[in-house]
PDB file of all heavy atoms in Angstrom:
ATOM      1  N   ALA A1012      18.134 -73.508 -17.226  1.00 96.00           N
ATOM      2  CA  ALA A1012      18.149 -72.841 -18.533  1.00 96.00           C
ATOM      3  C   ALA A1012      19.066 -73.544 -19.525  1.00 96.00           C
ATOM      4  O   ALA A1012      18.712 -73.694 -20.712  1.00 96.00           O
ATOM      5  CB  ALA A1012      18.563 -71.385 -18.366  1.00 96.00           C
ATOM      6  N   GLU A1013      20.234 -73.959 -19.085  1.00 96.00           N
ATOM      7  CA  GLU A1013      21.161 -74.610 -20.012  1.00 96.00           C
ATOM      8  C   GLU A1013      20.575 -75.910 -20.543  1.00 96.00           C
ATOM      9  O   GLU A1013      20.630 -76.192 -21.751  1.00 96.00           O
ATOM     10  CB  GLU A1013      22.499 -74.883 -19.326  1.00 96.00           C
ATOM     11  CG  GLU A1013      23.539 -75.502 -20.263  1.00 96.00           C
ATOM     12  CD  GLU A1013      24.893 -75.725 -19.584  1.00 96.00           C
ATOM     13  OE1 GLU A1013      25.064 -75.292 -18.412  1.00 96.00           O
ATOM     14  OE2 GLU A1013      25.782 -76.325 -20.225  1.00 96.00           O
ATOM     15  N   ALA A1014      19.991 -76.705 -19.642  1.00 97.00           N
ATOM     16  CA  ALA A1014      19.385 -77.967 -20.066  1.00 97.00           C
ATOM     17  C   ALA A1014      18.195 -77.722 -20.977  1.00 97.00           C
ATOM     18  O   ALA A1014      17.988 -78.444 -21.965  1.00 97.00           O
ATOM     19  CB  ALA A1014      18.960 -78.783 -18.846  1.00 97.00           C
ATOM     20  N   LEU A1015      17.391 -76.697 -20.665  1.00 97.00           N
ATOM     21  CA  LEU A1015      16.272 -76.344 -21.529  1.00 97.00           C
ATOM     22  C   LEU A1015      16.755 -75.917 -22.911  1.00 97.00           C
ATOM     23  O   LEU A1015      16.189 -76.305 -23.940  1.00 97.00           O
ATOM     24  CB  LEU A1015      15.457 -75.212 -20.900  1.00 97.00           C
ATOM     25  CG  LEU A1015      14.456 -75.570 -19.802  1.00 97.00           C
ATOM     26  CD1 LEU A1015      13.942 -74.302 -19.130  1.00 97.00           C
ATOM     27  CD2 LEU A1015      13.301 -76.388 -20.370  1.00 97.00           C
ATOM     28  N   GLY A1016      17.824 -75.121 -22.946  1.00 96.00           N
ATOM     29  CA  GLY A1016      18.367 -74.666 -24.217  1.00 96.00           C
ATOM     30  C   GLY A1016      18.872 -75.818 -25.069  1.00 96.00           C
ATOM     31  O   GLY A1016      18.655 -75.847 -26.288  1.00 96.00           O
ATOM     32  N   GLU A1017      19.570 -76.767 -24.437  1.00 96.00           N
ATOM     33  CA  GLU A1017      20.076 -77.929 -25.177  1.00 96.00           C
ATOM     34  C   GLU A1017      18.927 -78.752 -25.745  1.00 96.00           C
ATOM     35  O   GLU A1017      18.988 -79.229 -26.886  1.00 96.00           O
ATOM     36  CB  GLU A1017      20.941 -78.789 -24.253  1.00 96.00           C
ATOM     37  CG  GLU A1017      22.266 -78.128 -23.882  1.00 96.00           C
ATOM     38  CD  GLU A1017      23.046 -78.945 -22.864  1.00 96.00           C
ATOM     39  OE1 GLU A1017      22.516 -79.974 -22.387  1.00 96.00           O
ATOM     40  OE2 GLU A1017      24.188 -78.550 -22.534  1.00 96.00           O
ATOM     41  N   TRP A1018      17.873 -78.910 -24.936  1.00 97.00           N
ATOM     42  CA  TRP A1018      16.702 -79.662 -25.400  1.00 97.00           C
ATOM     43  C   TRP A1018      16.038 -78.948 -26.575  1.00 97.00           C
ATOM     44  O   TRP A1018      15.700 -79.585 -27.587  1.00 97.00           O
ATOM     45  CB  TRP A1018      15.724 -79.842 -24.239  1.00 97.00           C
ATOM     46  CG  TRP A1018      14.376 -80.355 -24.634  1.00 97.00           C
ATOM     47  CD1 TRP A1018      14.063 -81.593 -25.122  1.00 97.00           C
ATOM     48  CD2 TRP A1018      13.142 -79.623 -24.604  1.00 97.00           C
ATOM     49  NE1 TRP A1018      12.719 -81.673 -25.385  1.00 97.00           N
ATOM     50  CE2 TRP A1018      12.133 -80.488 -25.071  1.00 97.00           C
ATOM     51  CE3 TRP A1018      12.802 -78.332 -24.195  1.00 97.00           C
ATOM     52  CZ2 TRP A1018      10.796 -80.094 -25.156  1.00 97.00           C
ATOM     53  CZ3 TRP A1018      11.473 -77.934 -24.283  1.00 97.00           C
ATOM     54  CH2 TRP A1018      10.491 -78.810 -24.757  1.00 97.00           C
ATOM     55  N   LEU A1019      15.866 -77.631 -26.495  1.00 96.00           N
ATOM     56  CA  LEU A1019      15.251 -76.882 -27.590  1.00 96.00           C
ATOM     57  C   LEU A1019      16.121 -76.895 -28.844  1.00 96.00           C
ATOM     58  O   LEU A1019      15.608 -76.974 -29.968  1.00 96.00           O
ATOM     59  CB  LEU A1019      14.961 -75.451 -27.158  1.00 96.00           C
ATOM     60  CG  LEU A1019      13.764 -75.265 -26.220  1.00 96.00           C
ATOM     61  CD1 LEU A1019      13.711 -73.841 -25.693  1.00 96.00           C
ATOM     62  CD2 LEU A1019      12.458 -75.619 -26.931  1.00 96.00           C
ATOM     63  N   ASP A1020      17.431 -76.826 -28.669  1.00 95.00           N
ATOM     64  CA  ASP A1020      18.331 -76.930 -29.825  1.00 95.00           C
ATOM     65  C   ASP A1020      18.140 -78.269 -30.538  1.00 95.00           C
ATOM     66  O   ASP A1020      18.109 -78.342 -31.771  1.00 95.00           O
ATOM     67  CB  ASP A1020      19.790 -76.782 -29.391  1.00 95.00           C
ATOM     68  CG  ASP A1020      20.155 -75.352 -29.022  1.00 95.00           C
ATOM     69  OD1 ASP A1020      19.405 -74.426 -29.389  1.00 95.00           O
ATOM     70  OD2 ASP A1020      21.195 -75.171 -28.356  1.00 95.00           O
ATOM     71  N   GLU A1021      18.033 -79.302 -29.742  1.00 95.00           N
ATOM     72  CA  GLU A1021      17.835 -80.649 -30.295  1.00 95.00           C
ATOM     73  C   GLU A1021      16.508 -80.737 -31.040  1.00 95.00           C
ATOM     74  O   GLU A1021      16.422 -81.301 -32.130  1.00 95.00           O
ATOM     75  CB  GLU A1021      17.877 -81.669 -29.148  1.00 95.00           C
ATOM     76  CG  GLU A1021      17.568 -83.095 -29.560  1.00 95.00           C
ATOM     77  CD  GLU A1021      17.419 -83.989 -28.352  1.00 95.00           C
ATOM     78  OE1 GLU A1021      18.455 -84.380 -27.764  1.00 95.00           O
ATOM     79  OE2 GLU A1021      16.273 -84.288 -27.969  1.00 95.00           O
ATOM     80  N   ARG A1022      15.456 -80.147 -30.446  1.00 95.00           N
ATOM     81  CA  ARG A1022      14.146 -80.184 -31.087  1.00 95.00           C
ATOM     82  C   ARG A1022      14.140 -79.337 -32.365  1.00 95.00           C
ATOM     83  O   ARG A1022      13.515 -79.698 -33.360  1.00 95.00           O
ATOM     84  CB  ARG A1022      13.046 -79.701 -30.135  1.00 95.00           C
ATOM     85  CG  ARG A1022      12.893 -80.484 -28.834  1.00 95.00           C
ATOM     86  CD  ARG A1022      13.142 -81.976 -28.946  1.00 95.00           C
ATOM     87  NE  ARG A1022      12.340 -82.601 -29.973  1.00 95.00           N
ATOM     88  CZ  ARG A1022      12.707 -83.665 -30.673  1.00 95.00           C
ATOM     89  NH1 ARG A1022      13.885 -84.221 -30.485  1.00 95.00           N
ATOM     90  NH2 ARG A1022      11.899 -84.176 -31.581  1.00 95.00           N
ATOM     91  N   GLU A1023      14.836 -78.202 -32.356  1.00 94.00           N
ATOM     92  CA  GLU A1023      14.915 -77.382 -33.558  1.00 94.00           C
ATOM     93  C   GLU A1023      15.629 -78.132 -34.671  1.00 94.00           C
ATOM     94  O   GLU A1023      15.230 -78.075 -35.842  1.00 94.00           O
ATOM     95  CB  GLU A1023      15.638 -76.069 -33.261  1.00 94.00           C
ATOM     96  CG  GLU A1023      15.681 -75.129 -34.453  1.00 94.00           C
ATOM     97  CD  GLU A1023      16.329 -73.793 -34.114  1.00 94.00           C
ATOM     98  OE1 GLU A1023      17.208 -73.760 -33.224  1.00 94.00           O
ATOM     99  OE2 GLU A1023      15.952 -72.786 -34.732  1.00 94.00           O
ATOM    100  N   ALA A1024      16.692 -78.843 -34.303  1.00 95.00           N
ATOM    101  CA  ALA A1024      17.449 -79.605 -35.300  1.00 95.00           C
ATOM    102  C   ALA A1024      16.623 -80.726 -35.920  1.00 95.00           C
ATOM    103  O   ALA A1024      16.881 -81.148 -37.049  1.00 95.00           O
ATOM    104  CB  ALA A1024      18.719 -80.184 -34.663  1.00 95.00           C
ATOM    105  N   SER A1025      15.618 -81.196 -35.201  1.00 94.00           N
ATOM    106  CA  SER A1025      14.775 -82.269 -35.735  1.00 94.00           C
ATOM    107  C   SER A1025      13.940 -81.791 -36.917  1.00 94.00           C
ATOM    108  O   SER A1025      13.509 -82.584 -37.754  1.00 94.00           O
ATOM    109  CB  SER A1025      13.838 -82.808 -34.643  1.00 94.00           C
ATOM    110  OG  SER A1025      12.790 -81.894 -34.358  1.00 94.00           O
ATOM    111  N   GLY A1026      13.686 -80.471 -36.978  1.00 92.00           N
ATOM    112  CA  GLY A1026      12.910 -79.903 -38.072  1.00 92.00           C
ATOM    113  C   GLY A1026      11.437 -80.212 -38.036  1.00 92.00           C
ATOM    114  O   GLY A1026      10.715 -79.953 -39.004  1.00 92.00           O
ATOM    115  N   THR A1027      10.942 -80.751 -36.923  1.00 92.00           N
ATOM    116  CA  THR A1027       9.545 -81.161 -36.852  1.00 92.00           C
ATOM    117  C   THR A1027       8.639 -80.109 -36.221  1.00 92.00           C
ATOM    118  O   THR A1027       7.443 -80.084 -36.479  1.00 92.00           O
ATOM    119  CB  THR A1027       9.401 -82.473 -36.056  1.00 92.00           C
ATOM    120  OG1 THR A1027       9.914 -82.286 -34.728  1.00 92.00           O
ATOM    121  CG2 THR A1027      10.171 -83.599 -36.739  1.00 92.00           C
ATOM    122  N   TRP A1028       9.211 -79.234 -35.386  1.00 93.00           N
ATOM    123  CA  TRP A1028       8.365 -78.252 -34.695  1.00 93.00           C
ATOM    124  C   TRP A1028       7.899 -77.159 -35.658  1.00 93.00           C
ATOM    125  O   TRP A1028       8.628 -76.766 -36.575  1.00 93.00           O
ATOM    126  CB  TRP A1028       9.133 -77.615 -33.540  1.00 93.00           C
ATOM    127  CG  TRP A1028       9.258 -78.475 -32.326  1.00 93.00           C
ATOM    128  CD1 TRP A1028       9.425 -79.832 -32.294  1.00 93.00           C
ATOM    129  CD2 TRP A1028       9.251 -78.043 -30.967  1.00 93.00           C
ATOM    130  NE1 TRP A1028       9.523 -80.262 -30.996  1.00 93.00           N
ATOM    131  CE2 TRP A1028       9.420 -79.192 -30.157  1.00 93.00           C
ATOM    132  CE3 TRP A1028       9.131 -76.801 -30.353  1.00 93.00           C
ATOM    133  CZ2 TRP A1028       9.465 -79.125 -28.762  1.00 93.00           C
ATOM    134  CZ3 TRP A1028       9.175 -76.732 -28.969  1.00 93.00           C
ATOM    135  CH2 TRP A1028       9.330 -77.886 -28.184  1.00 93.00           C
ATOM    136  N   ARG A1029       6.686 -76.665 -35.426  1.00 90.00           N
ATOM    137  CA  ARG A1029       6.213 -75.521 -36.198  1.00 90.00           C
ATOM    138  C   ARG A1029       7.120 -74.329 -35.916  1.00 90.00           C
ATOM    139  O   ARG A1029       7.482 -74.084 -34.756  1.00 90.00           O
ATOM    140  CB  ARG A1029       4.760 -75.211 -35.834  1.00 90.00           C
ATOM    141  CG  ARG A1029       3.796 -76.296 -36.306  1.00 90.00           C
ATOM    142  CD  ARG A1029       2.365 -76.062 -35.853  1.00 90.00           C
ATOM    143  NE  ARG A1029       1.491 -77.114 -36.354  1.00 90.00           N
ATOM    144  CZ  ARG A1029       0.227 -77.275 -35.992  1.00 90.00           C
ATOM    145  NH1 ARG A1029      -0.320 -76.447 -35.123  1.00 90.00           N
ATOM    146  NH2 ARG A1029      -0.496 -78.264 -36.492  1.00 90.00           N
ATOM    147  N   PRO A1030       7.485 -73.565 -36.944  1.00 88.00           N
ATOM    148  CA  PRO A1030       8.445 -72.465 -36.760  1.00 88.00           C
ATOM    149  C   PRO A1030       8.031 -71.460 -35.692  1.00 88.00           C
ATOM    150  O   PRO A1030       8.877 -70.965 -34.937  1.00 88.00           O
ATOM    151  CB  PRO A1030       8.500 -71.815 -38.155  1.00 88.00           C
ATOM    152  CG  PRO A1030       8.127 -72.913 -39.091  1.00 88.00           C
ATOM    153  CD  PRO A1030       7.117 -73.749 -38.365  1.00 88.00           C
ATOM    154  N   ASN A1031       6.728 -71.162 -35.615  1.00 85.00           N
ATOM    155  CA  ASN A1031       6.285 -70.181 -34.616  1.00 85.00           C
ATOM    156  C   ASN A1031       6.518 -70.675 -33.198  1.00 85.00           C
ATOM    157  O   ASN A1031       6.831 -69.905 -32.290  1.00 85.00           O
ATOM    158  CB  ASN A1031       4.802 -69.845 -34.816  1.00 85.00           C
ATOM    159  CG  ASN A1031       3.888 -71.053 -34.649  1.00 85.00           C
ATOM    160  OD1 ASN A1031       4.173 -72.131 -35.176  1.00 85.00           O
ATOM    161  ND2 ASN A1031       2.791 -70.891 -33.945  1.00 85.00           N
ATOM    162  N   VAL A1032       6.398 -71.994 -33.003  1.00 90.00           N
ATOM    163  CA  VAL A1032       6.539 -72.560 -31.663  1.00 90.00           C
ATOM    164  C   VAL A1032       8.002 -72.575 -31.239  1.00 90.00           C
ATOM    165  O   VAL A1032       8.348 -72.159 -30.125  1.00 90.00           O
ATOM    166  CB  VAL A1032       5.943 -73.987 -31.603  1.00 90.00           C
ATOM    167  CG1 VAL A1032       6.079 -74.562 -30.193  1.00 90.00           C
ATOM    168  CG2 VAL A1032       4.479 -73.968 -32.019  1.00 90.00           C
ATOM    169  N   ILE A1033       8.885 -73.034 -32.113  1.00 92.00           N
ATOM    170  CA  ILE A1033      10.296 -73.117 -31.734  1.00 92.00           C
ATOM    171  C   ILE A1033      10.878 -71.717 -31.561  1.00 92.00           C
ATOM    172  O   ILE A1033      11.680 -71.473 -30.635  1.00 92.00           O
ATOM    173  CB  ILE A1033      11.106 -73.945 -32.761  1.00 92.00           C
ATOM    174  CG1 ILE A1033      12.461 -74.347 -32.163  1.00 92.00           C
ATOM    175  CG2 ILE A1033      11.282 -73.224 -34.070  1.00 92.00           C
ATOM    176  CD1 ILE A1033      12.383 -75.367 -31.073  1.00 92.00           C
ATOM    177  N   LYS A1034      10.478 -70.776 -32.393  1.00 90.00           N
ATOM    178  CA  LYS A1034      10.992 -69.405 -32.275  1.00 90.00           C
ATOM    179  C   LYS A1034      10.552 -68.785 -30.953  1.00 90.00           C
ATOM    180  O   LYS A1034      11.361 -68.207 -30.217  1.00 90.00           O
ATOM    181  CB  LYS A1034      10.501 -68.557 -33.445  1.00 90.00           C
ATOM    182  CG  LYS A1034      10.996 -67.112 -33.398  1.00 90.00           C
ATOM    183  CD  LYS A1034      10.474 -66.309 -34.587  1.00 90.00           C
ATOM    184  CE  LYS A1034      10.953 -64.861 -34.510  1.00 90.00           C
ATOM    185  NZ  LYS A1034      10.437 -64.044 -35.642  1.00 90.00           N
ATOM    186  N   PHE A1035       9.272 -68.902 -30.629  1.00 88.00           N
ATOM    187  CA  PHE A1035       8.761 -68.348 -29.384  1.00 88.00           C
ATOM    188  C   PHE A1035       9.448 -69.008 -28.193  1.00 88.00           C
ATOM    189  O   PHE A1035       9.852 -68.337 -27.235  1.00 88.00           O
ATOM    190  CB  PHE A1035       7.247 -68.570 -29.305  1.00 88.00           C
ATOM    191  CG  PHE A1035       6.608 -68.014 -28.068  1.00 88.00           C
ATOM    192  CD1 PHE A1035       6.106 -66.725 -28.048  1.00 88.00           C
ATOM    193  CD2 PHE A1035       6.515 -68.770 -26.913  1.00 88.00           C
ATOM    194  CE1 PHE A1035       5.520 -66.203 -26.909  1.00 88.00           C
ATOM    195  CE2 PHE A1035       5.930 -68.267 -25.763  1.00 88.00           C
ATOM    196  CZ  PHE A1035       5.431 -66.971 -25.761  1.00 88.00           C
ATOM    197  N   SER A1036       9.605 -70.324 -28.241  1.00 91.00           N
ATOM    198  CA  SER A1036      10.179 -71.069 -27.127  1.00 91.00           C
ATOM    199  C   SER A1036      11.621 -70.660 -26.864  1.00 91.00           C
ATOM    200  O   SER A1036      12.039 -70.523 -25.713  1.00 91.00           O
ATOM    201  CB  SER A1036      10.105 -72.572 -27.416  1.00 91.00           C
ATOM    202  OG  SER A1036       8.768 -72.975 -27.625  1.00 91.00           O
ATOM    203  N   LYS A1037      12.387 -70.431 -27.919  1.00 90.00           N
ATOM    204  CA  LYS A1037      13.783 -70.038 -27.738  1.00 90.00           C
ATOM    205  C   LYS A1037      13.895 -68.580 -27.289  1.00 90.00           C
ATOM    206  O   LYS A1037      14.795 -68.220 -26.525  1.00 90.00           O
ATOM    207  CB  LYS A1037      14.562 -70.280 -29.031  1.00 90.00           C
ATOM    208  CG  LYS A1037      14.595 -71.753 -29.443  1.00 90.00           C
ATOM    209  CD  LYS A1037      15.666 -72.060 -30.459  1.00 90.00           C
ATOM    210  CE  LYS A1037      17.015 -72.201 -29.800  1.00 90.00           C
ATOM    211  NZ  LYS A1037      18.040 -72.718 -30.706  1.00 90.00           N
ATOM    212  N   ASN A1038      12.958 -67.760 -27.744  1.00 89.00           N
ATOM    213  CA  ASN A1038      12.996 -66.354 -27.338  1.00 89.00           C
ATOM    214  C   ASN A1038      12.793 -66.185 -25.836  1.00 89.00           C
ATOM    215  O   ASN A1038      13.423 -65.320 -25.206  1.00 89.00           O
ATOM    216  CB  ASN A1038      11.931 -65.551 -28.095  1.00 89.00           C
ATOM    217  CG  ASN A1038      12.338 -65.249 -29.528  1.00 89.00           C
ATOM    218  OD1 ASN A1038      13.500 -65.396 -29.898  1.00 89.00           O
ATOM    219  ND2 ASN A1038      11.379 -64.833 -30.348  1.00 89.00           N
ATOM    220  N   ILE A1039      11.911 -66.971 -25.246  1.00 86.00           N
ATOM    221  CA  ILE A1039      11.613 -66.782 -23.824  1.00 86.00           C
ATOM    222  C   ILE A1039      12.759 -67.257 -22.929  1.00 86.00           C
ATOM    223  O   ILE A1039      12.786 -66.929 -21.740  1.00 86.00           O
ATOM    224  CB  ILE A1039      10.295 -67.477 -23.406  1.00 86.00           C
ATOM    225  CG1 ILE A1039      10.352 -68.983 -23.659  1.00 86.00           C
ATOM    226  CG2 ILE A1039       9.106 -66.848 -24.107  1.00 86.00           C
ATOM    227  CD1 ILE A1039       9.081 -69.710 -23.235  1.00 86.00           C
ATOM    228  N   LEU A1040      13.702 -67.986 -23.505  1.00 87.00           N
ATOM    229  CA  LEU A1040      14.882 -68.384 -22.718  1.00 87.00           C
ATOM    230  C   LEU A1040      15.769 -67.189 -22.389  1.00 87.00           C
ATOM    231  O   LEU A1040      16.482 -67.198 -21.386  1.00 87.00           O
ATOM    232  CB  LEU A1040      15.698 -69.433 -23.487  1.00 87.00           C
ATOM    233  CG  LEU A1040      15.322 -70.904 -23.308  1.00 87.00           C
ATOM    234  CD1 LEU A1040      16.239 -71.764 -24.163  1.00 87.00           C
ATOM    235  CD2 LEU A1040      15.404 -71.334 -21.856  1.00 87.00           C
ATOM    236  N   ALA A1041      15.715 -66.174 -23.241  1.00 83.00           N
ATOM    237  CA  ALA A1041      16.637 -65.040 -23.082  1.00 83.00           C
ATOM    238  C   ALA A1041      16.406 -64.290 -21.777  1.00 83.00           C
ATOM    239  O   ALA A1041      17.353 -63.751 -21.186  1.00 83.00           O
ATOM    240  CB  ALA A1041      16.494 -64.093 -24.261  1.00 83.00           C
ATOM    241  N   GLU A1042      15.159 -64.230 -21.320  1.00 80.00           N
ATOM    242  CA  GLU A1042      14.833 -63.470 -20.112  1.00 80.00           C
ATOM    243  C   GLU A1042      14.394 -64.399 -18.979  1.00 80.00           C
ATOM    244  O   GLU A1042      13.598 -64.010 -18.133  1.00 80.00           O
ATOM    245  CB  GLU A1042      13.717 -62.461 -20.425  1.00 80.00           C
ATOM    246  CG  GLU A1042      14.085 -61.419 -21.457  1.00 80.00           C
ATOM    247  CD  GLU A1042      15.152 -60.466 -20.950  1.00 80.00           C
ATOM    248  OE1 GLU A1042      15.227 -60.247 -19.725  1.00 80.00           O
ATOM    249  OE2 GLU A1042      15.925 -59.949 -21.781  1.00 80.00           O
TER     250      GLU A1042
END
């Protein structure tokens, strides 16, 4: 989970992902 979170943070910072995809992807990390 930690490595996945760091990777998603990096991808979010790139600003290239569609907002719906990055939001959904980060939400599923919580559970």
